């Protein structure tokens, strides 16, 4: 039956009707907030290129973790910023390194009230800023790096983490991490595989957050933004190696990839709304060009609609509070 009898606008007439028929909703429990902790800080420090995001001290990190739990956020992803770095990134495997002690701090503070996750990569800890150990000619040595990842995974598990997130895009990283965890008696620690991680220009502010020493780029091991089939192959390999969850990073420029990954696997799919995505909206909102809260929630809804069950976003705590008020 055509117009005028059929009027789709009837189901848009007010907020109550729109809420009733909404096809996609973001739940606070599906949001994960990335948090940075810097060794030696006495007070939290603002990150200039990420308005509202902090480098935490150990004390402020614990308080922020409690705030996230109170907001109903589903998880916290921890990143460490060490006071010093070396060629092999030994701070990442050191049980007394800043990331490992921060994991213990947060787990002691919030227990199982939220999922405590940790970035499993050497880039924050190496003096050269790459995600692995280098060969004599400056290339990343995939297989030597895997051994470091195995040690790092066990250190993080011993610190009490619930989920490790291998993010370096080394071939075989998920299998090596899974076997290392199991051999050390940490069978219950889950693996969130950064299965699809593009060599993206959207990561810029993140490198400020971790004070990255990177020179050059990571195109030799992160993925070509032009490729989708390659991403699906990476996902299949990670699932076969034992990934409990898989992630696409960045999110908004790759919603087609998120959708394709969702269709390809039966494990939970995550997407990381990265620093550049966040910073662009914050900058536009600061200039009065967009409605900040509406754009925030619209972007998260689009990622959820594309098929991501879990969303890492710097807005997680604020968005969770807004969503609880709305629904």
């Amino acid at each position: 039956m055509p117009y005028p009898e059929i009027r789709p606008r009837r189901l848009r007439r007010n907020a109550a009707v729109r809420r009733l028929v909404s096809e996609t909703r973001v739940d606070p429990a599906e949001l994960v907030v990335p948090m940075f902790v810097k060794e030696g800080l006495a007070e939290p420090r603002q990150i200039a290129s990420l308005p509202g995001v902090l480098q935490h001290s150990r004390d402020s990190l614990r308080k922020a973790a409690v705030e996230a739990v109170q907001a109903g956020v589903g998880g916290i992803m921890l990143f460490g910023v060490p006071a010093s770095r070396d060629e092999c990134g030994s701070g990442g495997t050191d049980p007394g390194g800043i990331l490992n002690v921060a994991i213990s701090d947060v787990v002691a503070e919030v227990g199982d009230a939220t999922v405590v996750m940790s970035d499993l990569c050497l880039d924050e800890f190496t003096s050269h800023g790459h995600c692995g150990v280098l060969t004599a000619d400056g290339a990343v040595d995939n297989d030597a790096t895997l051994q470091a990842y195995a040690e790092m995974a066990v250190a993080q598990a011993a610190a009490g983490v619930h989920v490790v997130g291998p993010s370096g895009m080394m071939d075989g990283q998920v299998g090596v991490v899974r076997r290392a965890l199991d051999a050390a008696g940490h069978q219950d620690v889950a693996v969130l595989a950064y299965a699809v991680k593009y060599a993206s220009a959207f990561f810029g502010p993140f490198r400020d957050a971790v004070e990255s020493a990177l020179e050059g780029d990571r195109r030799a091991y992160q993925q070509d933004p032009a490729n989708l089939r390659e991403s699906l192959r990476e996902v299949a390999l990670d699932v076969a190696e034992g990934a409990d969850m898989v992630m696409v990073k960045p999110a908004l420029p790759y919603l087609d990839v998120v959708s394709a990954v969702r269709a390809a696997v039966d494990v939970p799919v995550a997407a990381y709304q990265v620093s550049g995505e966040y910073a662009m909206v914050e900058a536009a909102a600061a200039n009065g060009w967009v409605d900040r809260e509406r754009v925030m929630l619209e972007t998260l809804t689009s990622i959820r609609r594309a098929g991501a069950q879990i969303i890492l976003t710097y807005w997680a705590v604020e968005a969770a509070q807004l969503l609880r008020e709305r629904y």
Side-chain angles (χ1 to χ4, degrees), residues 205-220:
F206 175 90
R207 292 174 185 165
D208 289 341
V210 297
E211 301 177 8
S212 174
L214 180 67
E215 295 182 6
D217 59 54
R218 297 174 178 149
R219 295 181 187 180

Side-chain angles (χ1 to χ4, degrees), residues 92 119-125 131-132 149 152 156 165-168 197:
D119 182 57
L120 201 168
C121 192
L122 294 180
D123 60 321
E124 294 108 277
F125 300 95
C131 296
Y149 285 4
M152 196 172 183
Q156 292 179 356
S167 62
K197 185 176 181 180

Side-chain angles (χ1 to χ4, degrees), residues 198-231:
Y198 287 99
S200 173
F202 283 90
F203 298 153
F206 175 90
R207 292 174 185 165
D208 289 341
V210 297
E211 301 177 8
S212 174
L214 180 67
E215 295 182 6
D217 59 54
R218 297 174 178 149
R219 295 181 187 180
Y221 46 102
Q222 293 179 353
Q223 290 170 253
D224 183 343
N227 293 354
L228 171 58
R229 290 190 299 274
E230 178 187 25
S231 298

Side-chain angles (χ1 to χ4, degrees), residues 178-197:
R178 181 73 271 159
R179 289 190 294 274
L181 289 169
D182 291 352
H186 299 296
Q187 294 91 343
D188 290 340
V189 174
V191 177
L192 167 60
Y194 285 59
V196 182
K197 185 176 181 180

Side-chain angles (χ1 to χ4, degrees), residues 12-237:
R12 305 172 198 149
R13 62 179 307 211
N14 59 39
V17 173
R18 292 192 296 273
R19 187 166 54 243
L20 179 69
V21 300
S22 178
E23 298 175 22
T24 304
R25 292 185 183 175
V26 180
D27 191 281
E30 298 170 337
L31 302 178
V32 175
V33 56
M35 291 187 181
F36 305 97
V37 57
K38 180 174 170 60
E39 186 174 10
L41 277 189
E43 299 291 337
R45 178 184 297 168
Q46 173 67 53
I47 300 165
S49 57
L50 284 171
V53 180
L54 303 173
Q55 284 183 331
H56 283 285
S57 67
R58 289 178 63 184
D59 284 342
S60 71
L61 178 68
R62 287 191 286 264
K63 294 174 184 176
V66 171
E67 180 185 5
V69 168
Q70 292 172 341
V73 164
I76 300 168
M77 175 63 81
L78 296 174
F79 297 87
V81 185
S84 62
R85 296 171 166 88
D86 58 30
E87 286 290 309
C88 60
S90 60
T93 56
D94 179 0
I98 183 59
L99 180 54
N100 294 321
V101 298
I103 292 168
S104 295
D105 287 344
V106 172
V107 171
E109 193 71 35
V110 303
D112 292 335
T114 194
V115 180
V116 181
M117 307 178 178
S118 54
D119 182 57
L120 201 168
C121 192
L122 294 180
D123 60 321
E124 294 108 277
F125 300 95
T126 54
S127 53
H128 46 74
H130 278 288
C131 296
V133 180
L134 300 186
T135 63
D137 62 359
V140 174
D141 186 328
N142 189 96
D143 294 2
T145 299
L146 294 181
Q147 179 57 40
Y149 285 4
E151 295 174 15
M152 196 172 183
V154 172
Q156 292 179 356
V161 81
H162 303 135
V163 178
V164 295
S167 62
M169 292 304 294
M170 298 297 121
D171 293 340
Q173 64 183 17
V174 172
V176 165
V177 164
R178 181 73 271 159
R179 289 190 294 274
L181 289 169
D182 291 352
H186 299 296
Q187 294 91 343
D188 290 340
V189 174
V191 177
L192 167 60
Y194 285 59
V196 182
K197 185 176 181 180
Y198 287 99
S200 173
F202 283 90
F203 298 153
F206 175 90
R207 292 174 185 165
D208 289 341
V210 297
E211 301 177 8
S212 174
L214 180 67
E215 295 182 6
D217 59 54
R218 297 174 178 149
R219 295 181 187 180
Y221 46 102
Q222 293 179 353
Q223 290 170 253
D224 183 343
N227 293 354
L228 171 58
R229 290 190 299 274
E230 178 187 25
S231 298
L232 296 178
R233 185 185 185 204
E234 290 275 10
V235 167
L237 288 168

